Amino acid sequence: MSFLTIENLSAFVGPAPILRDVSLTVTAGEVRGLVGESGAGKSMIGKAVLGTLPPAVRVASGRIVLEGEDLLAMRPRDRRRVIGARAALIPQDPLTALNPSRRVGPQITNRLVDILGWTRHDAQVRALELLDEVHIPEPERVMRAYPHELSGGMRQRILIASAFAAEPRLIIADEPTTALDVTVQKQILRLIREMQARHGTALLFVTHDLGVVSKICQSLTVLYGGKVLEDTRVGDFFAGPTHPYSAALLAATPKYTDPDASLTPVPEAVIDGVRAEIEAFDRMHGHV
Amino acid sequence: MSDTPIYDIENLRLSFPDMAHKPLLGPAPRVEILKGISLRIPRGDVVGIVGGSGSGKSTLGRAMVRLIEPDSGAIRFEGQDITHLGEDALRPLRRRFQMIFQDPMSSLNPRRTVGAIIAGPLKLQGFDRVSGRVDQALDHVGLPRVFRKRYPHELSGGQRQRVGIARAIATEPDFILADEIVSGLDVSSQAQVLNLLEQLVRELGLTLAFISHDLSVIRRLCRHTVVLHRGEVVEYSETQALFDAPQAAYTRELLDAIPLPDLDQVWV
């Protein structure tokens, strides 16, 4: 049973396509990686699901179905209610995602109170529980702290707690560890996996790092220019990617255990091949 | 002369005022960032400087090219003590040590063309044939000469970083400091920029210090590696040896934290 199904989603900025006929599913308890270089459209897919696309982006066609509810067919008000109750985001930069002039506590509890109608007391209890679950020592003290008083890893833990607060069925993690040190990254990945397994949440994990994908995802979608190039199981991918671009991306990923084999830039011929594929697609759909 | 290391750093200490804890009246307390760093970099070497955030790696780099002045200790560049030199005395030396910055979007002036950006240090240093040297620098980094007329926003991230490299090599320096120059790039552009650096080190006989938090990148590029942790050198050895048998506990922790692109899900 899939929690999230995206079917033939196409989106444009002006006349330029930024998502081209994207389809993917995330099933119950699954972690799916969304991989690509900058400009591949991976963050846009997350934003489309959460209804936070920039105003310039126009969704032209396709369906986004979250637990049987067709999001794009709903009135904006209903859509916000469904998304607010069932989906959540772990953002990339924990510093900009938290309001610097407000204490941490209310930033976790307000969403529960304002959007989900919890009592302030229940929200408070839940927040303390969650901070404990994400291994934050002295949760009461942290609730009263301002974001700048906490380290980057600590702030990301708070955002993870906040994302899981209302027991969402789907979480979109948008490069949640890119801004962190490798040692902190490992702790945070471990935490995300632990929380995801405990709560049975489906996770769409946006990242450019194939190393991270190999550690945390069960399936992955490789994107280029807003088009899906490969949709596969992680085991199959690392055994041998089927699309030449995926293979080239894997070869370009540094690997300290094998310094000579790594760091081959994606060859021009491969990029040309992908561009040709995309042009052919655009011609077929009359986007040229 | 050839035995003199290009950099000889001895017991370097550096602190910044801690403005977050400044009392209303009186000076702010100081936080020590570098706690007695000693380091020799031989001519022609490629040295990686790694560490987590707050380890002092960027501060060390900035002190080496004297963008900031240390509190105490000594930095000798080709035998000359530059620890406390004033800007006038430093200017002729600046031609010989250059820096490439992390974020090309903020280190390249958005209102100047690529040609003017690369020509900047050349003019400041009183070079002749500036135009020819700009072309030469562009050739070296593999950018077409027509890029002289372009502005930074018209370039991709990888191309912008090449402009930063071209500006650094234009004055024919002996030493270049590269501070996290590939961490903002996609893996493919990252591979291209690293290959370019490798080639330039070979062709121009550069000495390079490469600051990074990414040990995979260091492994590929650097002959020696310095590991910094909380303002102190915890390990300084040949890169190969460091990866084969890391000595410091912190180095092992760093290595262990890298997510390798393979199927070992026990890792997390």
Side-chain angles (χ1 to χ4, degrees):
Chain A
M1 151 77 182
S2 78
F3 270 158
L4 174 72
T5 306
I6 298 177
E7 279 173 11
N8 310 103
L9 186 69
S10 288
F12 294 78
V13 172
I18 57 161
L19 293 179
R20 296 170 155 98
D21 215 13
V22 170
S23 297
L24 59 87
T25 60
V26 188
T27 54
E30 181 190 35
V31 185
R32 173 175 287 274
L34 213 47
V35 184
E37 299 182 89
S38 32
K42 51 194 193 301
S43 288
M44 283 301 158
I45 293 174
K47 288 186 168 137
V49 174
L50 292 173
T52 53
L53 283 170
V57 178
R58 179 175 55 86
V59 174
S61 58
R63 299 204 313 152
I64 302 175
V65 184
L66 182 61
E67 281 193 291
E69 309 248 23
D70 186 346
L71 294 179
L72 296 177
M74 298 172 93
R75 289 185 319 196
R77 204 190 134 99
D78 297 337
R79 181 164 69 221
R80 280 198 296 275
R81 189 180 41 76
V82 168
I83 293 170
R86 301 189 195 175
L89 171 76
I90 303 174
Q92 173 169 7
D93 181 355
L95 193 52
T96 49
L98 288 165
N99 184 338
S101 63
R102 301 197 59 201
R103 293 179 198 275
V104 166
Q107 302 197 47
I108 305 174
T109 54
N110 274 5
R111 186 162 153 268
L112 302 176
V113 175
D114 296 348
I115 301 176
L116 302 172
W118 293 31
T119 67
R120 198 149 277 289
H121 177 261
D122 286 353
Q124 184 80 10
V125 170
R126 176 79 178 134
L128 286 172
E129 237 173 61
L130 276 161
L131 290 184
D132 190 50
E133 232 183 279
V134 297
H135 312 298
I136 286 181
E138 302 178 71
E140 287 89 357
R141 188 185 61 80
V142 170
M143 291 276 278
R144 288 191 303 271
Y146 287 96
H148 76 265
E149 296 174 304
L150 306 167
S151 69
M154 197 78 121
R155 287 193 285 256
Q156 197 55 286
R157 281 169 196 273
I158 287 166
L159 289 167
I160 291 168
S162 184
F164 280 93
E167 294 287 350
R169 315 300 303 276
L170 172 77
I171 286 183
I172 292 171
D174 190 355
E175 305 251 14
T177 58
T178 306
L180 305 174
D181 271 352
V182 279
T183 47
V184 182
Q185 163 170 285
K186 184 171 181 177
Q187 295 162 9
I188 295 295
L189 289 176
R190 184 180 288 157
L191 176 67
I192 291 177
R193 197 156 99 160
E194 178 191 321
M195 294 288 282
Q196 183 265 338
R198 181 183 306 151
H199 296 261
T201 321
L203 198 64
L204 192 57
F205 199 102
V206 177
T207 180
H208 67 274
D209 189 339
L210 285 172
V212 170
V213 169
S214 73
K215 299 305 173 224
I216 197 162
C217 303
Q218 286 96 50
S219 57
L220 82 161
T221 303
V222 181
L223 292 160
Y224 186 93
K227 190 169 184 309
V228 175
L229 298 185
E230 184 158 3
D231 179 338
T232 179
R233 306 294 301 168
V234 163
D236 297 339
F237 183 86
F238 287 95
T242 54
H243 197 283
Y245 174 77
S246 313
L249 205 58
L250 190 55
T253 304
K255 200 173 174 184
Y256 74 83
T257 47
D258 194 0
D260 297 324
S262 59
L263 289 183
T264 319
V266 176
E268 289 291 329
V270 173
I271 296 287
D272 290 346
V274 176
R275 294 219 171 108
E277 211 176 298
I278 287 175
E279 272 168 35
F281 172 87
D282 284 353
R283 258 198 309 278
M284 203 170 82
H285 291 76
H287 296 159
V288 191
Chain B
M1 184 70 198
S2 61
D3 289 352
T4 317
I6 197 153
Y7 267 103
D8 184 0
I9 296 166
E10 219 179 298
N11 199 21
L12 195 71
R13 290 179 178 274
L14 197 149
S15 61
F16 287 128
D18 178 9
M19 298 316 275
H21 294 98
K22 185 190 180 309
L24 191 55
L25 298 168
R30 299 188 74 87
V31 215
E32 193 155 53
I33 309 291
L34 303 180
K35 299 168 184 163
I37 295 215
S38 298
L39 199 64
R40 288 160 73 94
I41 301 179
R43 178 173 275 281
D45 203 357
V46 179
V47 182
I49 303 177
V50 280
S53 51
S55 62
K57 53 189 193 300
S58 284
T59 305
L60 172 63
R62 278 158 193 267
M64 283 168 73
V65 296
R66 278 303 316 279
L67 292 177
I68 45 179
E69 190 179 344
D71 298 348
S72 66
I75 306 172
R76 281 183 282 273
F77 177 72
E78 301 201 300
Q80 183 183 356
D81 191 327
I82 61 165
T83 324
H84 301 289
L85 284 188
E87 198 48 48
D88 287 344
L90 278 171
R91 190 156 302 127
L93 288 168
R94 292 219 182 274
R95 180 190 77 71
R96 295 162 59 198
F97 46 78
Q98 287 284 329
M99 176 159 177
I100 313 167
F101 296 88
Q102 173 169 8
D103 176 10
M105 216 36 198
S106 61
S107 61
L108 303 178
N109 187 335
R111 303 178 65 136
R112 303 186 74 192
T113 61
V114 166
I117 288 170
I118 300 173
L122 290 169
K123 288 184 179 152
L124 215 60
Q125 295 286 348
F127 273 86
D128 59 351
R129 303 191 303 105
V130 168
S131 180
R133 287 175 194 273
V134 171
D135 282 341
Q136 217 178 354
L138 283 171
D139 292 349
H140 268 304
V141 299
L143 289 178
R145 291 183 178 185
V146 292
F147 271 50
R148 294 178 67 132
K149 301 261 184 289
R150 306 250 174 114
Y151 288 90
H153 73 265
E154 298 175 275
L155 310 180
S156 72
Q159 288 168 340
R160 279 198 283 268
Q161 206 48 286
R162 281 166 195 265
V163 174
I165 297 172
R167 173 172 62 183
I169 60 168
T171 63
E172 297 170 18
D174 302 299
F175 173 79
I176 286 185
L177 176 83
D179 189 357
E180 295 271 14
I181 62 167
V182 296
S183 45
L185 303 178
D186 285 325
V187 280
S188 185
S189 337
Q190 182 177 325
Q192 284 171 4
V193 169
L194 290 171
N195 290 342
L196 169 67
L197 271 184
E198 258 179 349
Q199 174 205 329
L200 289 175
V201 165
R202 259 199 326 269
E203 284 173 6
L204 307 176
L206 286 171
T207 309
L208 179 73
F210 188 88
I211 297 175
S212 179
H213 66 277
D214 188 340
L215 279 164
S216 293
V217 168
I218 297 264
R219 165 98 213 223
R220 168 62 190 266
L221 189 69
C222 304
R223 207 167 308 150
H224 290 94
T225 301
V226 185
V227 183
L228 287 186
H229 185 46
R230 299 191 175 146
E232 287 177 89
V233 176
V234 294
E235 189 157 357
Y236 181 15
S237 55
E238 265 186 42
T239 305
Q240 178 84 41
L242 181 128
F243 279 84
D244 290 347
Q247 297 301 308
Y250 181 67
T251 312
R252 282 196 294 275
E253 198 183 314
L254 274 183
L255 279 174
D256 189 43
I258 298 173
L260 288 170
D262 58 24
L263 281 172
D264 172 19
Q265 296 211 332
V266 188
W267 180 88
V268 274

